[in-house]
Amino acid sequence: MSLRGVSISRTVSATGNELAVKYSSLPSESGNSPVYQQAIIVPESTGWCP
């Protein structure tokens, strides 16, 4: 995805019961800094289910 000259990439991966979503960008010609954000989603029930 490109927004005002900044290219943003998204990666989604699943491992077991976890879902990882990562967003990142590279520095742009207009001087924007690179960005990296990651979230890991785990269902609440994993803590108490056998």
Side-chain angles (χ1 to χ4, degrees), residues 25-47:
S25 71
L26 298 174
S28 69
E29 293 176 7
S30 61
N32 291 325
S33 297
V35 175
Y36 179 79
Q37 180 68 42
Q38 175 178 333
I40 297 177
I41 302 166
V42 179
E44 285 186 37
S45 62
T46 60

Side-chain angles (χ1 to χ4, degrees), residues 11-34:
T11 305
V12 179
S13 59
T15 305
N17 62 346
E18 293 183 354
L19 180 64
V21 182
K22 301 174 186 176
Y23 289 92
S24 60
S25 71
L26 298 174
S28 69
E29 293 176 7
S30 61
N32 291 325
S33 297

